[in-house]
Amino acid sequence: MRGLAAQPGGATPGWSRFFDSLGQTSPGDLNQRSQLLARQVRDNGITYNVYADASGPQRPWSVDLFPLLIEPEAWRRIESGVVQRMRVLESVMADIYGPQRLIAGNLLPPALVHGHPGYLRSMRGATPAGGRFLHIAAFDLARGTEGLWWVVSQRTQAPSGLGYLLENRSLVSRLFPEAYRALRVQRLAASYRTLVDSLRARAPTRGEEPRIALLTPGPYNETYFEHAYLARYLGLTLVEGGDLTVRGERLYLKTLRGLEPVHGLLKRLDDEFLDPLELRADSQLGVPGLMQAVRAGNLLVANAPGSAVLESPALLGFLPALSEHLLGEPLSLPSLPTWWCGERAALESVLPELARNVIKPTYGAPGSTTVLGRALTRRGLDEWAGRLTREPDDYTVQAYLPLSQMPTWDGRRLAPRSLLLRVFAMTDGAGGWQVLPGGLTRLAGASEQIASMQRGGSSVDTWVLGEDFSVDPGAESDPNTEDEVAPAARGHEEIEALSPTPGPAPVPSSRAAENLFWLGRYLERLAHRLRQAQTNGTVVDEDAQRHDLVAMRQAASAVRDRLSPVQWQRIQKGEDLPSLEDLIRDLAGRQDEDEGWRLLATGQAIERMASQPDIAHLAWRLSDDLSTRLFTHSDDARYRVGA
């Protein structure tokens, strides 16, 4: 809040204006806003699944009340530094999968490249479709005591957060519309539109309309809500590995119409699971032959397989020299001092300083975690020193930086919480990169020193302030911000501003179509049970109702990207007859959109027939015939989920 130096009034102009916009706000008013925020998270069904959480996989997304404010000058430094780093990383990846001059020139140790499990030898010599390896990357930044930002880590395989930060913006901007307008917060939608336009422009289409799909591991992934949200927001088809097949070194989507070509994938899947033929043989999440399509140049993948090498924390220690060599300029956004223990001199220098630093796995092995030296006992430090000496290549040591803090509301007063800012760089379609003007800011838990959602942390919206936010918005109208949020009722306009770019409408996969069919059936079956009990005064068969409710929600989860937040909310209230009837009426108007929605209406009609004793046998015969014709695995253009 103080910036680089203490301000005469105590806080920076941005924070001063934010709190001024609240006026005579009482603790009760802030608590009301907090309750509204939590209710909106529940109503929108925003979740972050934690595999090891004993309470179950569906955990509500955690977002705090106040946004993080970033002043224009600080953002300019971040933006230019991130763009520079993207130029370096793209050049590094092109080299390690090409001539490997950096290794030959001793600028990169061979063990960090060839020894990394994420280095895909099958990509050596391959030219990615569109001529670019990287299309999107995330950088985790921490702010030091002097107010400058440092890079802590970078993510290139499938960086998460792009959907959650949009939801954070939608929720928080509606709670503080006056502050949002007064601070002239930079908007987000244009960056997403540019990303999609760039992917479509670079995709190898052979004269066809470009079709981009979003590849997800499925509903049990920890960030599945975000995958469905992004697919819906960007106008992309949400697909799982089983929805796709490779023929003639080209990728196709299985639909009820047959095979439809796919020209690009925005993947939310780690590289090792992409192709069971060439990578992990036990993967059921990927597509056999996918790597062959990539190498043939027939499929654009964002990012190109093999980028896991760039996520190694050890690489941060070599980037300053790489920047000088590749770009002829020093890094403007520094990394925290980092030492790869595979270098003897680095190992010898960090062993006496372990208590002051952080130990990280070099190759990101499953189950490995970051260890804070200051949290170790003397015995623990000795054990780690021995481990680093025995297995030096496997570990990297990074300087410890106490995370800077921001104000949060704990229900009674302002309370400081440590933060880590994740910013995103995306391709801009013109051969360069743009930085999304905002980011996903994560807060450490009250008793934690690491900002992680897996460790009980939370998130906040991130506001990058406009250049002229200090001007009183009442004195002059700014057409770029006037219509963005303004009245609280229009707070969602930021999100709705993105209309899908020209291209084919998302086509439902066979799997999605069948799940819509069964969603319609279970939806109608539940409503019939509840109506019958209400009309006749009978008791509902609780076991049958519970089975139908679970089945309906499973089918809905598989097509989450095709359902609005309101529709999803009504599905969660499946035992409430008015909500079910509202949902049925709402979905009835969508059957003209595509065959998936028509199948949902067909499923409802079959269930209505089945509820009439005199024609029930016709309903079951129709159901069997439909399943045989559409869903039976007669060839791999069909995908059978099972009845």
Side-chain angles (χ1 to χ4, degrees):
M1 293 178 69
R2 298 173 59 202
L4 294 176
Q7 303 293 318
T12 63
W15 280 109
S16 296
R17 173 153 287 198
F18 177 81
F19 284 111
D20 287 345
S21 71
L22 300 183
Q24 299 298 319
T25 301
S26 66
D29 177 64
L30 291 178
N31 286 336
Q32 251 185 348
R33 299 192 200 206
S34 296
Q35 292 164 8
L36 179 61
L37 179 62
R39 184 166 64 250
Q40 197 63 53
V41 168
R42 291 194 301 271
D43 289 348
N44 288 0
I46 311 171
T47 57
Y48 178 82
N49 301 343
V50 181
Y51 297 122
D53 191 347
S55 64
Q58 295 293 325
R59 169 179 149 185
W61 177 246
S62 179
V63 54
D64 275 53
L65 187 60
F66 295 142
L68 172 68
L69 307 184
I70 302 180
E71 306 277 338
E73 183 181 352
W75 181 251
R76 282 194 297 272
R77 288 196 296 269
I78 291 173
E79 190 174 33
S80 62
V82 166
V83 168
Q84 182 192 46
R85 281 176 172 266
M86 287 300 296
R87 293 164 58 202
V88 175
L89 292 179
E90 175 71 21
S91 298
V92 168
M93 192 162 174
D95 180 79
I96 64 177
Y97 286 105
Q100 298 195 344
R101 296 191 184 97
L102 298 177
I103 295 176
N106 295 320
L107 289 165
L108 266 180
L112 281 187
V113 179
H114 301 141
H116 198 294
Y119 179 73
L120 304 183
R121 286 165 177 78
S122 58
M123 284 293 292
R124 178 80 190 276
T127 301
R132 173 170 287 179
F133 286 92
L134 302 178
H135 300 267
I136 185 169
F139 298 85
D140 292 326
L141 309 180
R143 188 164 46 190
T145 54
E146 75 287 355
L148 300 178
W149 292 92
W150 298 77
V151 176
V152 177
S153 61
Q154 52 203 23
R155 296 287 178 264
T156 50
Q157 280 196 92
S160 62
L162 281 172
Y164 288 117
L165 74 85
L166 276 175
E167 272 289 10
N168 285 357
R169 172 61 55 87
S170 173
L171 297 171
V172 175
S173 64
R174 282 192 287 184
L175 294 174
F176 303 105
E178 297 84 3
Y180 191 86
R181 182 172 56 176
L183 294 171
R184 310 201 176 203
V185 179
Q186 295 189 36
R187 303 180 70 171
L188 305 172
S191 297
Y192 288 84
R193 183 181 296 110
T194 302
L195 171 64
V196 175
D197 287 345
S198 174
L199 295 179
R200 286 180 173 152
R202 291 177 177 272
T205 60
R206 298 184 180 182
E208 302 164 325
E209 284 289 336
R211 186 182 305 283
I212 311 296
L214 193 151
L215 178 61
T216 174
Y220 294 104
N221 183 262
E222 60 186 355
T223 56
Y224 177 71
F225 165 83
E226 178 175 74
H227 306 169
Y229 182 92
L230 275 178
R232 180 179 177 83
Y233 180 64
L234 300 176
L236 307 179
T237 301
L238 185 68
V239 298
E240 298 178 22
D243 298 332
L244 304 169
T245 187
V246 174
R247 291 289 179 269
E249 297 186 333
R250 295 191 71 192
L251 185 68
Y252 293 90
L253 173 67
K254 304 172 188 176
T255 77
L256 298 180
R257 306 173 189 174
L259 297 179
E260 298 276 351
V262 176
H263 309 99
L265 285 180
L266 180 60
K267 68 179 178 71
R268 302 308 307 272
L269 188 64
D270 284 348
D271 293 343
E272 62 179 323
F273 298 102
L274 285 176
D275 187 342
L277 289 183
E278 297 192 27
L279 303 173
R280 281 188 58 158
D282 61 343
S283 171
Q284 299 182 30
L285 304 176
V287 186
L290 182 70
M291 293 295 294
Q292 199 172 359
V294 172
R295 286 195 301 271
N298 294 329
L299 178 68
L300 181 148
V301 179
N303 288 325
S307 66
V309 178
L310 304 180
E311 296 185 348
S312 172
L315 184 64
L316 296 177
F318 296 90
L319 283 181
L322 290 171
S323 179
E324 293 277 6
H325 175 77
L326 295 168
L327 305 183
E329 55 193 47
L331 286 177
S332 60
L333 186 64
S335 308
L336 285 179
T338 306
W339 302 271
W340 177 52
C341 295
E343 292 184 313
R344 180 176 295 276
L347 175 64
E348 292 175 351
S349 66
V350 299
L351 284 178
E353 304 294 330
L354 285 184
R356 301 177 184 175
N357 294 313
V358 179
I359 305 168
K360 294 186 173 184
T362 300
Y363 305 119
S368 57
T369 59
T370 296
V371 177
L372 297 180
R374 63 203 308 264
L376 295 173
T377 62
R378 170 46 55 188
R379 180 178 178 180
L381 288 169
D382 291 341
E383 290 176 352
W384 270 105
R387 190 178 303 180
L388 266 57
T389 303
R390 293 189 303 271
E391 305 166 348
D393 288 11
D394 293 344
Y395 296 100
T396 297
V397 175
Q398 191 174 72
Y400 173 74
L401 177 70
L403 296 178
S404 67
Q405 298 178 321
M406 65 166 287
T408 63
W409 180 250
D410 69 0
R412 296 171 297 169
R413 62 181 182 274
L414 292 178
R417 293 277 295 278
S418 299
L419 68 96
L420 193 67
L421 170 64
R422 172 168 290 188
V423 297
F424 295 85
M426 306 175 182
T427 178
D428 65 2
W433 285 270
Q434 61 178 345
V435 182
L436 186 74
L440 180 67
T441 299
R442 290 165 291 168
L443 303 181
S447 59
E448 292 285 341
Q449 301 178 66
I450 297 176
S452 167
M453 303 304 291
Q454 289 279 18
R455 300 193 181 195
S458 60
S459 67
V460 298
D461 191 14
T462 306
W463 291 6
V464 176
L465 309 187
E467 293 287 345
D468 56 352
F469 75 90
S470 59
V471 177
D472 184 356
E476 57 177 299
S477 175
D478 181 353
N480 294 321
T481 59
E482 185 179 20
D483 294 332
E484 185 168 344
V485 173
R490 297 165 63 185
H492 210 62
E493 195 165 328
E494 163 83 22
I495 301 304
E496 295 173 350
L498 178 67
S499 56
T501 50
V507 174
S509 65
S510 298
R511 174 190 56 82
E514 184 168 5
N515 276 290
L516 284 169
F517 172 73
W518 284 103
L519 173 60
R521 293 196 65 171
Y522 284 115
L523 180 61
E524 190 65 38
R525 193 178 299 178
L526 268 170
H528 175 70
R529 289 187 194 280
L530 293 172
R531 287 192 204 105
Q532 198 173 40
Q534 193 177 71
T535 303
N536 302 334
T538 57
V539 177
V540 177
D541 184 338
E542 292 187 1
D543 289 338
Q545 183 183 14
R546 189 179 304 109
H547 170 270
D548 292 345
L549 189 61
V550 170
M552 180 189 71
R553 288 172 176 165
Q554 286 178 338
S557 180
V559 291
R560 179 75 185 270
D561 59 307
R562 299 176 68 84
L563 300 172
S564 71
V566 173
Q567 291 165 349
W568 180 257
Q569 180 184 348
R570 287 170 177 164
I571 286 171
Q572 300 312 301
K573 298 178 179 177
E575 296 171 278
D576 177 45
L577 182 57
S579 290
L580 282 177
E581 291 179 333
D582 287 342
L583 180 61
I584 290 171
R585 283 191 293 270
D586 192 12
L587 296 178
R590 305 197 61 175
Q591 57 184 296
D592 293 334
E593 294 183 21
D594 56 50
E595 59 266 31
W597 294 111
R598 287 193 286 277
L599 276 172
L600 182 141
T602 301
Q604 291 176 307
I606 287 175
E607 283 302 317
R608 284 194 290 271
M609 290 172 60
S611 66
Q612 306 298 320
D614 53 336
I615 58 171
H617 64 288
L618 295 176
W620 298 118
R621 185 181 302 173
L622 177 61
S623 175
D624 291 342
D625 184 59
L626 192 64
S627 295
T628 300
R629 289 175 180 271
L630 294 180
F631 306 138
T632 301
H633 194 101
S634 55
D635 59 53
D636 57 16
R638 307 287 185 249
Y639 186 99
R640 191 173 194 279
V641 175

